[in-house]
Amino acid sequence: MQHPWRPALRSGSGAVALEWWTPTEVRTGDWWVEAYAQRIARIADADDVRVHHLDDGLVLVEVTAPSRVGPDPGDLARGPAETRVPMAGQLTSRGDVMATSTEATVGGRAVLVTAHRPGNQARHRTVVVDCVLPALHAAPGVRAVRAHLTDGRHGESALGDLVVVEARDTDSACSAVRAVVDEMGSLLAEPRVHRVCSTQILREGGRPLLPARGTADKPRLDPRRRPVPPPAPVSSTTALPPSRVIDLPAGFAEDVVVDGDGQLLCGVDGGAILRVDPQTHAVSTVASTGGRPLGLEHRSDGTLLVCDAHLGLLHLDLGTGELTTLTRFVDDRPLRFCSNATTLADGTIWFTESTTRFDFEHHRGSMMENRPSGRLLRRGPDGTVTVVRDDLWFANGITATPDADAVMVVETAGHRVNRLALTGPRAGAVDVVTAGLPGFPDNMSDFRTGRAWIPLTNPRMRALEVLGVAPRWVSEVAWRIPDRLRPEPEHTVWAVAIDENGDIVDEVHGTHPAFHTATGAVEVDGKLFLSSVFCAPMLEIDLEAR
């Protein structure tokens, strides 16, 4: 039965694979950190790569591409053998993709798999295109439909045709597919309906979303024009107060915080979380994330939140060393650049993602692209994650005000600090409370003795501001210059302290022969401790000796 109308279909090519994984792997989802997922996230010339965890222990890898030839199914090779059940098989196919979609939010998915009757492939294709797709597109709650149609040009496939339905929720997707099967089952060969339990989108719009574990090519730059407001007057560089260097194993600590016993905690290159005695500078290893820890948050229960650039939002039990992943995917997409976090008394976690478009290793691209792609997110006590803002200029440090009536959020590329009200008649309102900073603000300490410290990595760079008003090709050419050939920013030691109103109440600004470009700061007993992702040691500054 042919529907009287057909939706606007977008044609392309693609490859799909169905694999059976062990129940443990499906339940934990740990498999994606293997080289397998990193590889398929970076399939050459692919538009999108999605991994759907289906019921019955099935995993569907779905790839779409603009080329008529499509990606090679060989790129969808199996994962590690030990993650598969005995006699598990993989069915792959390559062919044309017919798709239709809307802009509405997707909340759930279902998959229809059909077989091919020998010698009846053309008729089956007509049924899918002329009957199945229009019916699914018109079903209540359906947001998008993608039909992967195998083609004789690509050889025989044991998989047959496959249709992915995205809807407002999983029940709506399953209901739409089952209704089509009930109506047209006699026209389809061996139709099977699968509920999608979860989806991981590893590549979208031709860009990998999964943070690279190791060296990766620079993603393309898509710059915009953006005049930058002028900075506030810059304080003169003066001699620093008495200071001492603290050597760290591995080094390059991005953030530093203090625990309930007055000990310092930091995360260094290679993944280690270190405890540092502020008096003796003795260093011990607490645990390792195996990734790249960035912002840290010590909680009142003695645990530690770790924002890992590669692994997302983590929870570390400092007593046992047990590490737990709290949030890795938001709206089916991996956290690209989890940056910093703060906790409220009820267990709510507010955290930032610096940019959704660049990995930590290529963070300069976000600055040069001049697109506000940073996010502010809220993780409720029940684990539900909500995107509160997605238009921040490199979201970075975050902390709650002393009475927890607001959170303060740093925008590094915006050169400012925002205040988001959490209570009262203006709850939800965002105000800029510290504007026009003359440098690049990074992490933000919690409020101790009525103030919070924010390191400024470097003074503003005139070259970056010129790129904001230059033609696109200038930024694109500058981005292609190897990092080692770019001019270095001015090396300084710089940090400001603000009160809960955003007013600057203290500042240190100078130079040091063994330390520069501070990215983390915390004050303990009159001493300011600075960390740097660009320098191996930390620096201790005696504020009371000024």
Side-chain angles (χ1 to χ4, degrees), residues 135-203:
L136 289 172
H137 179 82
V142 169
R143 310 304 197 206
V145 182
R146 291 184 301 279
H148 293 265
L149 309 172
T150 56
D151 194 310
R153 295 172 301 169
H154 305 303
E156 293 297 323
S157 169
L159 183 56
D161 291 331
L162 182 144
V163 182
V164 179
V165 178
E166 299 183 331
R168 64 187 172 212
D169 53 52
T170 305
D171 288 340
S172 296
C174 291
S175 296
V177 176
R178 291 193 180 103
V180 167
V181 170
D182 290 343
E183 181 182 4
M184 307 176 190
S186 61
L187 304 176
L188 302 172
E190 303 175 27
R192 288 161 288 163
V193 181
H194 291 281
R195 172 184 291 265
V196 178
C197 302
S198 64
T199 294
Q200 296 161 338
I201 302 175
L202 305 183
R203 185 181 183 91

Side-chain angles (χ1 to χ4, degrees), residues 248-527:
L248 300 176
F252 305 96
E254 203 272 345
D255 195 13
V256 57
V257 298
V258 62
D259 68 13
D261 297 323
Q263 301 290 293
L264 303 176
L265 295 166
C266 62
V268 296
D269 198 25
I273 304 298
L274 305 180
R275 180 181 282 116
V276 182
D277 189 305
Q279 302 297 326
T280 66
H281 296 179
V283 180
S284 60
T285 301
V286 178
S288 176
T289 68
R292 207 328 167 181
L294 300 178
L296 307 177
E297 163 79 352
H298 185 263
R299 309 175 84 184
S300 59
D301 62 0
T303 61
L304 186 72
L305 293 180
V306 181
C307 292
D308 194 291
H310 299 154
L311 303 174
L313 182 63
L314 311 178
H315 174 272
L316 174 62
D317 187 317
L318 293 171
T320 65
E322 181 181 0
L323 196 67
T324 305
T325 299
L326 296 182
T327 301
R328 183 65 190 89
F329 284 77
V330 177
D331 295 336
D332 303 328
R333 295 159 179 81
L335 288 171
R336 188 72 177 268
F337 196 145
C338 190
S339 188
N340 213 306
T342 190
T343 307
L344 303 184
D346 65 353
T348 298
I349 299 172
W350 288 83
F351 64 104
T352 58
E353 184 179 21
S354 291
T355 171
T356 58
R357 294 179 54 79
F358 295 88
D359 295 345
F360 165 74
E361 289 76 9
H362 295 137
H363 68 275
R364 289 185 178 91
S366 179
M367 304 287 188
M368 297 174 66
E369 193 172 58
N370 284 309
R371 283 175 175 266
S373 60
R375 300 199 294 183
L376 172 63
L377 305 102
R378 177 188 181 276
R379 187 182 190 274
D382 63 352
T384 302
V385 177
T386 304
V387 179
V388 179
R389 293 284 300 271
D390 62 0
D391 59 351
L392 301 180
W393 296 95
F394 205 89
N396 210 322
I398 184 170
T399 195
T401 54
D403 56 4
D405 66 340
V407 291
M408 312 282 275
V409 184
V410 170
E411 289 183 89
T412 299
H415 309 286
R416 64 192 183 192
V417 181
N418 303 312
R419 190 178 193 273
L420 169 66
L422 301 180
T423 61
R426 300 191 72 249
V430 177
D431 298 302
V432 177
V433 293
T434 310
L437 287 168
F440 295 92
D442 204 287
N443 287 308
M444 185 175 186
S445 75
D446 58 359
F447 279 90
R448 303 172 66 86
T449 63
R451 62 187 187 177
W453 282 92
I454 303 172
L456 303 181
T457 58
N458 312 99
R460 291 200 197 181
M461 296 181 65
R462 177 60 181 164
L464 273 180
E465 297 180 359
V466 168
L467 290 180
V469 295
R472 287 172 54 97
W473 66 267
V474 177
S475 296
E476 293 167 349
V477 170
W479 177 234
R480 289 195 290 267
I481 297 174
D483 291 344
R484 67 181 184 278
L485 300 180
R486 286 207 188 96
E488 282 285 316
E490 180 183 342
H491 288 175
T492 61
V493 180
W494 201 356
V496 296
I498 64 171
D499 61 21
E500 62 179 296
N501 297 316
D503 297 326
I504 295 177
V505 295
D506 202 351
E507 180 179 17
V508 293
H509 189 189
T511 60
H512 192 281
F515 185 89
H516 61 83
T517 318
T519 54
V522 67
E523 182 179 353
V524 182
D525 297 332
K527 305 287 179 60

